[in-house]
Amino acid sequence: MTAIEVIGLRKAYQGHEVVCGLDLTVARGEAVALLGPNGAGKTTTVEILEGHRRRDAGQVRVLGEDPGTAGRTWRARIGVVLQNADDAADLTVREMVRHIAGLYSDPRPADEVIELVGLGQQRDSRIRTLSGGQRRRVDVALGIVGRPDLLFLDEPTPGLDPQARRQVWELMRSLAAEGTTILLTTHNLEEAEVLADRLAVLAGGRIVAEGTPTTLGGRGTLGAATVSWRENGARRVEQVTDPTDLVRRLVAEDADLRSLTVTRPSLEDVYLTLVGAGR
């Protein structure tokens, strides 16, 4: 069961190709994060998948249809949280959510959605009076009110304080648990690690690596652990797959383990290496 299937996707602007033969598959119910620097092609790719931008070449199927020609019934099955969404500033939060809910055949109750995004106390406030973080929560509410089968999230939490960010993350996790497919773009690697089942790193308009947060770029393979300790007054360092045997040997040798550290590459370390290699 595939929610998104992309083969050989290409898109150029004024002769400059920003998406260069991209391949991507997302299973139904899966949460996938697209990572990459500005200009890597993430937003263009997502806009093509949403049906908001035409592709130059390639095959694209989203929920079984070509988003370039899909109709209103298909659009009702997707939710979109844009990076920079416009809003009807003079409407209240409740009025705006109810208005968008009215476009769907089976929406979530507006007040339920407003509570889910943490705006219960602001439900009767005009959108123009809200803070930037509160407006962002309105964007999330509008994206989920239609009970989408597939939810696109383009940088969903910039401007949110840590508590609000984690509230949105918990909401996304609950939607995923209900079976909603999620495609997320983010620069926040912690967010990607928390929300995504799988990560895809874009650089130069191509996917240069895919994997789970724990295996991306070889995080769980040979040499992934760095063991450091002091021996005879000197610092010793070894790269190993599994530090267990090395630590056992050091214990048997009565080494001073107070100085021992075991570290593995962080997701940020791996990401920066992949992006640098893909340019």
Side-chain angles (χ1 to χ4, degrees):
M1 299 291 288
T2 301
I4 298 172
E5 186 172 10
V6 180
I7 302 173
L9 180 63
R10 294 184 178 274
K11 179 66 181 179
Y13 300 108
Q14 298 179 340
H16 173 65
E17 198 167 46
V18 295
V19 181
C20 313
L22 183 145
D23 298 330
L24 176 68
T25 300
V26 178
R28 295 208 180 201
E30 188 177 25
V32 174
L34 296 182
L35 308 178
N38 291 331
K42 302 187 304 297
T43 296
T44 295
T45 297
V46 170
E47 288 175 345
I48 292 170
L49 299 181
E50 294 167 347
H52 293 156
R53 191 173 298 278
R54 292 185 179 275
R55 63 189 183 272
D56 294 336
Q59 301 175 38
V60 180
R61 304 290 289 180
V62 176
L63 298 180
E65 298 193 41
D66 183 336
T69 58
R72 185 171 179 177
T73 301
W74 175 84
R75 293 187 180 280
R77 299 176 62 198
I78 69 171
V80 178
V81 179
L82 297 173
Q83 187 171 351
N84 294 299
D86 296 327
D87 54 45
D90 287 326
L91 294 180
T92 67
V93 172
R94 179 189 273 129
E95 288 170 343
M96 186 61 183
V97 176
R98 281 181 173 174
H99 170 68
I100 298 301
L103 303 177
Y104 295 92
S105 60
D106 183 30
R108 292 177 181 267
D111 286 338
E112 173 188 312
V113 172
I114 291 168
E115 290 291 341
L116 282 173
V117 299
L119 289 175
Q121 295 183 353
Q122 291 81 29
R123 70 180 71 241
D124 295 318
S125 299
R126 298 195 184 279
I127 293 175
R128 59 179 164 79
T129 68
L130 302 179
S131 68
Q134 289 169 336
R135 286 185 178 218
R136 193 60 182 149
R137 294 199 225 180
V138 174
D139 295 336
V140 173
L142 302 182
I144 68 172
V145 69
R147 301 183 194 271
D149 295 325
L150 170 60
L151 179 62
F152 292 99
L153 299 168
D154 195 3
E155 298 289 342
T157 61
L160 298 185
D161 61 62
Q163 181 179 3
R165 183 182 305 117
R166 292 188 179 278
Q167 186 174 13
V168 170
W169 290 354
E170 186 58 38
L171 173 58
M172 294 303 107
R173 282 196 295 258
S174 69
L175 291 173
E178 293 173 2
T180 305
T181 305
I182 295 175
L183 185 64
L184 161 77
T185 69
T186 182
H187 289 297
N188 185 327
L189 296 181
E190 182 188 6
E191 181 166 82
E193 202 158 13
V194 167
L195 295 181
D197 301 312
R198 185 161 53 90
L199 312 177
V201 179
L202 277 72
R206 297 179 176 86
I207 293 179
V208 296
E210 293 184 66
T212 68
T214 58
T215 64
L216 183 73
R219 283 183 86 187
T221 60
L222 182 63
T226 300
V227 182
S228 174
W229 73 99
R230 297 195 69 83
E231 186 175 292
N232 298 324
R235 174 63 63 180
R236 291 281 307 278
V237 177
E238 287 193 25
Q239 301 283 337
V240 295
T241 304
D242 184 346
T244 305
D245 290 340
L246 176 56
V247 172
R248 285 173 178 165
R249 176 170 66 80
L250 294 175
V251 170
E253 294 174 355
D254 199 25
D256 182 2
L257 300 185
R258 292 175 298 178
S259 63
L260 183 138
T261 61
V262 179
T263 59
R264 294 186 181 273
S266 67
L267 182 58
E268 181 176 352
D269 294 332
V270 172
Y271 167 77
L272 292 174
T273 299
L274 291 170
V275 169
R279 285 177 173 171

